[in-house]
Amino acid sequence: MPRTSSATNATEVLPDLRDPAGLPDAAAPRNPADARDPAVDGPAAFADRAEGVADAPRSPRAAKRALAAAARERRRYERQEVRRFTKRSRRRRITWAVAVGAVLAVVAVVGIGAYSPLMALREVRVEGAQRIAADEVQGAFATLLGTPLPLIEGDQVHAALARFPLIETYATETIPPGTLVVRIVERTPVGVIDTGSGLELVDGAGVVIERLDERPPGQPLIEVEGGVADEGFRAVAGVVRSLPADVRSQLVRATADTADDVRLELEGGASVVWGSAEDSSFKADVLATLMRAAPPDTVSQYDVSAPTSPVTS
């Protein structure tokens, strides 16, 4: 019986080996918060880890191995940082190189195109020429043949066309590889002036378009005191330009003692009191309406000087 009692007491004193509290500290699970990622924490993590290794109660050989491992991790981290930095630098250098290369390529293409014989002027195409011979305009550019299109300047084109007074305005267009298109707007005649030495067909600016022996149909004889430099001529020119084609074709004479006293004469003898050149478009519409209602061979005069109150007699 005493042996039984002694065994019972021994069982009560021994700890429960299944209790986790009885495990040694080395077998206890690590706290995840104590783990560090060298790639995230950086060099500070390596320093802390090295200090922890130095403070840990380990053998000198184990501490040395831990320090070596921490040093390797630090070197690996530094190599990763160097590679990341140099990768960005290489990318920037490549981007700049591509951009500069593209600019240089464009400049080279433009330069080669400007001076290349492939872009030389070989053909001059003339559009809009009626009174002017197109082959004469083409011949004016003979000295520019063989010149690269990008090198043909506006002054050169103007000098080539300046010999044609019938050209009022013009526009040019280059069509690669070697065509120059010249679009011409010729001067519009407004009538004939009797200079005493002959008849001259003139435009609204008084530029002589053609010298004639007789008045052509559809071109009125303009009679003003001061010639083409007079204000009366400019008033008559403005009136003639405002007339619709069917009315102008019947116009045979236009006079102006002053700029406010323009008078017209139609085929059949009917006259038109026009007055000043103001509201000429409105007056022209009113005159056309009156002529349709009462043809010129049935009346002697149309008065449109007051277009809101026209008079036919």
Side-chain angles (χ1 to χ4, degrees):
M1 295 298 293
R3 289 183 179 271
T4 303
S5 174
S6 175
T8 302
N9 293 336
T11 302
E12 293 176 356
V13 172
L14 291 176
D16 189 356
L17 295 179
R18 294 171 299 175
D19 186 359
L23 293 176
D25 293 340
R30 294 182 60 187
N31 186 358
D34 294 337
R36 294 187 177 182
D37 185 357
V40 177
D41 296 336
F46 303 128
D48 294 344
R49 185 167 183 177
E51 292 177 359
V53 169
D55 295 340
R58 298 183 180 180
S59 65
R61 181 178 297 178
K64 188 175 181 179
R65 286 197 300 268
L67 288 173
R72 286 194 300 272
E73 291 180 0
R74 179 183 180 86
R75 288 194 295 271
R76 182 173 61 84
Y77 172 79
E78 291 175 349
R79 286 195 297 269
Q80 290 177 350
E81 289 298 307
V82 170
R83 283 196 296 269
R84 185 169 59 181
F85 177 77
T86 55
K87 184 177 181 180
R88 289 198 297 265
S89 299
R90 287 196 302 271
R91 188 176 301 161
R92 285 196 296 267
R93 287 196 297 269
I94 292 173
T95 302
W96 276 104
V98 171
V100 172
V103 172
L104 293 177
V106 171
V107 172
V109 170
V110 172
I112 293 173
Y115 293 96
S116 173
L118 297 176
M119 295 289 289
L121 176 63
R122 292 187 296 272
E123 178 189 5
V124 178
R125 187 186 307 166
V126 180
E127 298 178 358
Q130 297 178 355
R131 296 177 180 275
I132 306 173
D135 56 350
E136 293 182 3
V137 178
Q138 293 171 344
F141 290 88
T143 58
L144 296 178
L145 293 177
T147 303
L149 291 179
L151 300 183
I152 297 177
E153 299 179 354
D155 293 341
Q156 295 173 307
V157 175
H158 181 76
L161 298 178
R163 68 188 71 177
F164 302 98
L166 296 185
I167 297 178
E168 185 172 9
T169 60
Y170 66 87
T172 60
E173 178 186 2
T174 56
I175 302 178
T179 301
L180 176 66
V181 179
V182 182
R183 295 184 176 89
I184 292 174
V185 177
E186 295 182 345
R187 295 185 181 275
T188 303
V190 294
V192 177
I193 294 287
D194 189 352
T195 63
S197 59
L199 301 178
E200 293 179 346
L201 185 67
V202 297
D203 72 343
V207 177
V208 178
I209 297 176
E210 188 177 357
R211 287 178 172 83
L212 307 169
D213 295 329
E214 59 181 8
R215 181 183 68 83
Q219 298 297 338
L221 181 65
I222 299 176
E223 296 178 353
V224 292
E225 291 293 333
V228 295
D230 189 71
E231 291 184 358
F233 173 80
R234 289 192 290 272
V236 169
V239 170
V240 172
R241 283 184 168 182
S242 69
L243 295 175
D246 57 342
V247 175
R248 183 174 175 177
S249 63
Q250 303 180 57
L251 184 63
V252 297
R253 188 166 174 262
T255 64
D257 294 334
T258 65
D260 297 327
D261 186 26
V262 177
R263 292 177 177 268
L264 308 177
E265 183 178 332
L266 303 174
E267 292 179 350
S271 62
V272 180
V273 179
W274 195 274
S276 69
E278 295 181 359
D279 299 325
S280 288
S281 297
F282 184 26
K283 293 177 181 179
D285 293 338
V286 173
L287 177 60
T289 302
L290 295 176
M291 291 175 63
R292 286 193 294 268
D297 56 356
T298 62
V299 299
S300 60
Q301 180 175 281
Y302 304 98
D303 188 343
V304 293
S305 58
T308 56
S309 302
V311 177
T312 303
S313 59

